[in-house]
Amino acid sequence: MTDSPMTRVARATPPQMARQIRGLSDRAIAWIFVAPTIFLLLAVNIFPLIWTIRLSFTDFKANRNRPVEWIGTRNYERILSDSDIWLTMQATAHFLFWTIVFQVLIGFVLAWLINRKFRGNDLWTTIIVLPMMLSPAVVGNFWTFLYQPQIGLFNYVISFFTGVDPSSFQMIGDVNLAPWAIVIVDTWMWTPFVMLICLAGLRSIPDYIYEAAEIDRASKWRQFWTITVPMVLPFLMLAVLFRGIENFKMFDLVVQLTGGGPGSVTELTSINLKREAFEKWRTGYASAYAIILFVTVFGLASIYVKALNKVKER
């Protein structure tokens, strides 16, 4: 009978090392296995952050080979006093607010309907979830074609319901319509994600609570507002947190649809940051910009998580 690989390794281990290994506690052995992964994560995440913070206090430009000058907080002062930066913040806030509103409302309604368990329930769930499985680049190209005034389906659908000439407006070429064009696409793509979270919340509510409410002769409307909404609220807030963080970083979908145009009306902070870093090559300035965005997202998310924990404790 042949020895197993572990048996051969044990025999090949020097006696002194074997005694040392046998003397280790379970916690020490666990740290031996976990330490390389922790070190790798620190190297990948923490080091770039520290390096970015350092660069944000300099005038470093990646395309120029010259001595780097320490300029203190000048980059931060420039960013916070730049009117163009605040316009991109406004465009981001518009995109963030409306996508979250539409995704939460539509996602919750879809989850409520699917939770009723009608015939073909699983089929419709699969169909609804399909958009979130696609790549943002593919979705961007697909909807760019749909938004074409002459051959795109979207304009003809709007024309069918409103009677407007299909070629009389351009969703991604009009200053007023372009922001709503990216809101519509992001809502179409990520509403299924919110629906799944809400569906998990709805199915976590015990049936006996509704049975007790029916015994007390509570109407369906009262059951909805006193049982369903309060118990699903933590799940809704969790969905808002996830989508808020992701949409604040939105880049690829908007680049494929509008490229930040027309003009700069759909230029979100992520697109503006990319242009500062890799088109204007203002690396130190872009580093300060990235730190400001990071602090903004981290601060708002921390406050929101505290509110979410309070809702859970109720």
Side-chain angles (χ1 to χ4, degrees):
M1 182 176 180
T2 59
D3 294 335
S4 66
M6 293 303 296
T7 303
R8 292 196 296 270
V9 170
R11 287 178 178 175
T13 304
Q16 185 178 358
M17 183 180 293
R19 286 194 297 269
Q20 291 176 353
I21 293 174
R22 281 197 296 268
L24 293 175
S25 64
D26 291 342
R27 177 174 293 182
I29 294 174
W31 272 108
I32 290 174
F33 284 100
V34 172
T37 303
I38 294 177
F39 177 77
L40 181 63
L41 290 174
L42 290 176
V44 172
N45 295 312
I46 304 301
F47 174 75
L49 177 61
I50 296 173
W51 186 250
T52 303
I53 293 173
R54 181 185 178 279
L55 290 180
S56 68
F57 295 102
T58 67
D59 65 344
F60 177 67
K61 293 189 177 183
N63 65 335
R64 292 186 183 180
N65 187 15
R66 61 178 180 82
V68 179
E69 181 183 349
W70 187 271
I71 60 174
T73 60
R74 198 180 306 166
N75 285 329
Y76 292 92
E77 293 171 2
R78 277 195 208 153
I79 293 169
L80 295 176
S81 60
D82 190 342
S83 59
D84 291 336
I85 296 292
W86 288 106
L87 287 176
T88 61
M89 290 285 191
Q90 184 177 349
T92 305
H94 176 275
F95 172 72
L96 195 66
F97 176 80
W98 287 110
T99 51
I100 289 176
V101 168
F102 290 143
Q103 288 173 27
V104 168
L105 290 177
I106 300 174
F108 180 77
V109 171
L110 289 175
W112 183 77
L113 292 173
I114 289 175
N115 192 51
R116 299 177 72 86
K117 298 180 180 179
F118 52 88
R119 186 176 180 181
N121 180 287
D122 294 336
L123 174 63
W124 282 106
T125 302
T126 304
I127 293 173
I128 292 171
V129 169
L130 281 177
M132 64 176 285
M133 299 180 184
L134 301 174
S135 167
V138 173
V139 172
N141 286 323
F142 173 69
W143 275 89
T144 300
F145 176 77
L146 289 181
Y147 280 144
Q148 292 299 318
Q150 286 76 26
I151 59 175
L153 182 63
F154 183 85
N155 283 33
Y156 285 94
V157 171
I158 298 298
S159 175
F160 178 79
F161 287 103
T162 64
V164 179
D165 185 8
S167 60
S168 64
F169 64 96
Q170 296 184 10
M171 288 298 296
I172 57 177
D174 187 272
V175 174
N176 296 319
L177 296 179
W180 294 105
I182 62 174
V183 168
I184 291 171
V185 177
D186 190 77
T187 301
W188 174 82
M189 184 176 184
W190 290 110
T191 293
F193 176 78
V194 179
M195 182 200 74
L196 291 177
I197 295 179
C198 293
L199 188 60
L202 288 170
R203 291 186 176 175
S204 68
I205 303 175
D207 292 335
Y208 67 82
I209 297 180
Y210 289 107
E211 293 171 0
E214 289 178 359
I215 292 173
D216 292 337
R217 296 183 179 180
S219 64
K220 294 293 183 182
W221 185 251
R222 185 171 181 81
Q223 291 179 35
F224 176 79
W225 284 108
T226 58
I227 299 174
T228 305
V229 172
M231 299 195 74
V232 177
L233 185 59
F235 293 86
L236 281 172
M237 293 182 68
L238 191 64
V240 170
L241 177 64
F242 289 154
R243 293 309 308 147
I245 293 175
E246 287 299 317
N247 280 1
F248 198 92
K249 302 183 298 179
M250 180 61 64
F251 178 80
D252 41 9
L253 182 64
V254 180
V255 168
Q256 290 293 330
L257 279 171
T258 64
S264 59
V265 70
T266 60
E267 186 171 307
L268 306 183
T269 52
S270 56
I271 298 175
N272 187 250
L273 176 60
K274 176 257 182 184
R275 288 179 176 170
E276 293 291 342
F278 300 110
E279 293 180 15
K280 299 179 182 179
W281 294 103
R282 301 165 69 185
T283 312
Y285 183 88
S287 298
Y289 196 176
I291 294 300
I292 289 175
L293 295 180
F294 170 76
V295 171
T296 302
V297 174
F298 183 79
L300 293 176
S302 299
I303 296 171
Y304 190 86
V305 168
K306 289 182 179 179
L308 176 59
N309 290 332
K310 289 183 179 179
V311 172
K312 283 183 176 180
E313 292 171 359
R314 291 193 312 184

